[in-house]
Amino acid sequence: MCVGISAKVIQMKGDVAIVDATGAKRSVSAELLDDLKPGDYVMVHAGAAIAKITDDDENESKNLMEELLGE
């Protein structure tokens, strides 16, 4: 099973997005998505932003992860 993590775009540097995923900041490839900007939410898998998501999607993803981890 593959798991994607939701993250908020903090900064763009060309085709690289600096994202915040539950407090952990990392650089991910943004080559697959057009028009990303700071404040957007994305689904990250294997070091790449693979889809734009909404605030509601991000909240649902966060709640599911907390449930799975027993937090």
Side-chain angles (χ1 to χ4, degrees), residues 16-68:
V16 174
I18 310 302
V19 299
D20 182 339
T22 63
K25 292 183 176 59
R26 61 186 65 195
S27 299
V28 299
S29 171
E31 292 183 28
L32 299 176
L33 304 175
D34 293 327
D35 302 324
L36 279 184
K37 57 188 178 296
D40 287 342
Y41 286 93
V42 293
M43 187 62 61
V44 176
H45 176 68
I50 59 171
K52 272 190 188 183
I53 60 174
T54 67
D55 291 344
D56 290 338
D57 293 332
E58 195 278 334
N59 288 333
E60 183 178 352
S61 176
K62 180 181 174 187
N63 291 339
L64 286 171
M65 287 302 287
E66 287 174 354
E67 198 174 305
L68 287 171

